[in-house]
Amino acid sequence: MGEMISLSGLGKRFGPIAAVEDITLSVAAGEVLGFLGPNGAGKTTTMRMITGFLAPTSGSVMVCGHDVTMDPIKAQRRIGYLPEGAPLYGDMTPAAFLDFIAAVRGFSGAERKNRIRAAADKVEIASVLHRPIDTLSKGYKRRVGLAQAILHDPDVLILDEPTDGLDPNQKIQVRALIRDMSQDKAIVISTHILEEVEAVCTRAVIIADGRLVFDGTPLDL
C-alpha cells in the first residue's frame, strides 16, 4: 500500500499554547484511520494542517508526495475535506453549491453534471437538491458537506465528525460509503464515537494535550 499522508514532527503553537506537539505518523492507501481524543486535544488543528488550512509551526505534512506548505495546490487537489460544522452557503441549494464546487475543482460540461449527480447519489441527497441549504436538517447539511468532499474522487479524505447530526440509519449509510471508498484511498476520520471506530476504521490513534499517545488497531484499543 502506498503512503498517502505523512506527518513528521508536526507541531502548532498559538502564542504560548502548544495545540499540537511533535506528531509523526503516516497513512497508506486502503487505511481508514480513526482520530480520537477529548475536546481540545488537537484533532481538528491537526486535520486543518493536513489540508493546508493552517500552517504548521514546526514539522511537515506530505500528501501524495506533495509538501502541503511548499506546494499547497498540488496537495489540495488530492484531498477531500469535510470540516467541523461543514460551513455552507445557506441561501444556495445543494445543487447550486455542488455546481460551484465542481467549477472550482475545474470540471465543466457533461463531466461536471456527472460528478454532481454521482456525489449526490452516494450521500442520498437527491430529494433535497433544490431546497435552500438553510432549510435542511443538520443531517442533510452534513451530507451536503460530505458530497462536496468526495465530488472530485480524491485520493485522501479528511473527515471531521462525518456522522455528526445524522440519524441511526443515515450513520449506517455513511459508514458503508466510507468503507466502500476506502479500497484505494487514505481516509482520516475524527470522531468521539468508539462504535464508529469499530465499524469503519482499520486503525486508530489517540491524541491528548496535542501529543500522540496511542497508535494501533481498533481491537488493540
Side-chain angles (χ1 to χ4, degrees):
M1 294 284 183
E3 188 177 276
M4 308 287 268
I5 304 169
S6 178
L7 314 182
S8 180
L10 192 65
K12 181 65 179 179
R13 300 188 71 88
F14 297 98
I17 299 169
V20 173
E21 292 192 80
D22 196 28
I23 290 184
T24 296
L25 63 86
S26 61
V27 187
E31 281 194 295
V32 181
L33 179 72
F35 209 42
L36 295 157
N39 287 334
K43 301 189 303 296
T44 293
T45 299
T46 301
M47 296 176 102
R48 286 175 175 172
M49 287 191 285
I50 294 172
T51 61
F53 185 80
L54 274 180
T57 305
S58 57
S60 64
V61 180
M62 301 291 289
V63 172
C64 300
H66 303 292
D67 188 304
V68 173
T69 301
M70 303 298 291
D71 204 349
I73 300 300
K74 285 185 178 177
Q76 288 166 348
R77 282 179 179 150
R78 311 291 287 273
I79 297 171
Y81 180 34
L82 176 67
E84 186 180 30
L88 302 166
Y89 299 102
D91 57 340
M92 297 178 81
T93 64
F97 176 66
L98 294 177
D99 187 65
F100 166 68
I101 295 297
V104 169
R105 289 289 184 183
F107 299 114
S108 60
E111 185 178 15
R112 185 148 134 195
K113 292 179 181 177
N114 291 338
R115 293 271 180 176
I116 293 167
R117 187 182 304 112
D121 287 347
K122 282 179 180 176
V123 301
E124 300 186 14
I125 58 169
S127 63
V128 299
L129 273 176
H130 302 291
R131 289 172 49 186
I133 290 170
D134 266 348
T135 69
L136 304 182
S137 67
K138 185 177 181 181
Y140 270 118
K141 287 178 182 176
R142 204 77 187 121
R143 286 196 273 172
V144 173
L146 182 57
Q148 67 77 27
I150 66 174
L151 186 141
H152 58 300
D153 192 25
D155 296 312
V156 170
L157 274 173
I158 309 295
L159 308 176
D160 203 347
E161 303 281 354
T163 61
D164 184 38
L166 304 187
D167 67 32
N169 285 335
Q170 292 169 345
K171 286 182 180 181
I172 290 169
Q173 292 164 358
V174 168
R175 289 170 185 169
L177 174 61
I178 291 169
R179 283 194 298 270
D180 289 344
M181 293 190 300
S182 69
Q183 302 304 312
D184 57 356
K185 301 182 190 301
I187 302 178
V188 178
I189 299 173
S190 169
T191 182
H192 294 96
I193 308 167
L194 287 176
E195 171 199 338
E196 194 148 279
V197 174
E198 294 169 350
V200 300
C201 296
T202 60
R203 183 172 151 214
V205 300
I206 298 174
I207 68 170
D209 297 323
R211 291 185 175 275
L212 190 67
V213 296
F214 173 87
D215 185 347
T217 68
L219 185 60
D220 293 336
L221 181 62

